[in-house]
Amino acid sequence: MKQFLIIALCATSLTTLAPAMTEAAQIKRACLASDRSAATRDRCKCIQRVADQALTNKDQKTVAKWFTDPHQAQELKMSKSARDDALWERYQNFGRMAQAICS
C-alpha cells in the first residue's frame, strides 16, 4: 500500500510539472532554430538563463515567436496599449542583459 501511494504521488507530481517542462527553454529552442551564425548552443543556453530571470513564461512564449517572425515584435512595439509597452520594456531590458552577459 505504501509503495502504491508513493507511485501515485510521483505520477501526480509529474503530470503537474509536465506543462512547465514543455514550456521551459522556449527562447533557447527558438535561438537554436534560427539561422543566425552566432546562435551557438552555449550562447542560446546563456540567453535562456537571462530570459528566465528577465521574462515571465508568457513573455518568453511571445518573444520566442519573434525569432521566426520579427514582424510580430514590430507590431507590438508600435502598439499603443500599456500592456504591450510594458512587454516591450521588459524585452529591451532582457536584450540588454543578454548582450552584456552572453557576448
Side-chain angles (χ1 to χ4, degrees):
M1 180 68 169
K2 185 177 179 181
Q3 185 178 14
F4 173 77
L5 291 174
I6 292 172
I7 292 170
L9 178 62
C10 289
T12 304
S13 297
L14 287 176
T15 56
T16 308
L17 294 174
M21 290 171 65
T22 58
E23 292 179 2
Q26 294 178 81
I27 299 293
K28 179 182 171 189
R29 283 194 307 271
C31 176
L32 289 170
S34 73
D35 61 355
R36 294 168 178 89
S37 61
T40 64
R41 185 173 272 317
D42 287 341
R43 182 164 289 142
C44 291
K45 186 176 178 180
C46 179
I47 291 169
Q48 180 63 57
R49 283 194 308 267
V50 174
D52 290 340
Q53 295 174 11
L55 301 170
T56 66
N57 284 339
K58 184 177 179 182
D59 290 348
Q60 289 184 39
K61 185 176 181 179
T62 300
V63 171
K65 293 176 185 175
W66 298 349
F67 280 79
T68 55
D69 186 5
H71 184 68
Q72 288 183 17
Q74 185 64 28
E75 287 182 6
L76 184 120
K77 181 180 178 183
M78 302 308 290
S79 171
K80 301 285 188 221
S81 84
R83 184 171 61 197
D84 289 347
D85 288 345
L87 172 54
W88 186 254
E89 186 63 35
R90 289 190 303 275
Y91 173 70
Q92 286 186 308
N93 181 50
F94 155 70
R96 286 188 295 268
M97 288 173 57
Q99 186 173 18
I101 295 168
C102 302
S103 294

